[in-house]
Amino acid sequence: MNQLTEAEQEVFAIDGHSISEIQDILHKEECTIKNQRKSILKKLNTPSMTEAVQQFQNLHQEPSQKLIRTS
């Protein structure tokens, strides 16, 4: 996550919302949000925001939670 800019982190943090909802929350233009999402995917080397979020969650789970989830 350190490689993401502050603006990209804001967009990443509220993923799961539509572009128009993110626009309302962050007061940003649609093209800005799309560009920031594209940059996030490139930096995290993932094909979708869903996978990026899953990757982030997997990195920040407690070790015991990882064991339970994979068993």
Side-chain angles (χ1 to χ4, degrees), residues 3-4 38-48 51-52 55:
Q3 69 256 36
L4 300 181
K38 191 182 303 184
S39 180
I40 291 166
L41 297 179
K42 184 176 181 180
K43 288 178 179 181
L44 298 180
N45 194 30
T46 57
S48 70
E51 287 190 37
Q55 183 181 67

Side-chain angles (χ1 to χ4, degrees), residues 19-69:
I19 298 280
S20 61
E21 290 172 330
I22 294 172
Q23 282 181 271
D24 291 341
I25 294 167
L26 298 178
H27 309 287
K28 294 184 178 188
E29 295 293 324
E30 179 179 351
C31 62
T32 302
I33 295 167
K34 286 182 177 181
N35 286 335
Q36 289 172 335
R37 281 183 163 188
K38 191 182 303 184
S39 180
I40 291 166
L41 297 179
K42 184 176 181 180
K43 288 178 179 181
L44 298 180
N45 194 30
T46 57
S48 70
M49 287 300 289
T50 301
E51 287 190 37
V53 170
Q54 288 174 342
Q55 183 181 67
F56 177 79
Q57 289 172 338
N58 287 340
L59 288 174
H60 292 89
Q61 280 184 338
E62 295 294 324
S64 60
Q65 289 177 321
K66 287 182 182 179
L67 291 174
I68 293 168
R69 188 174 184 187

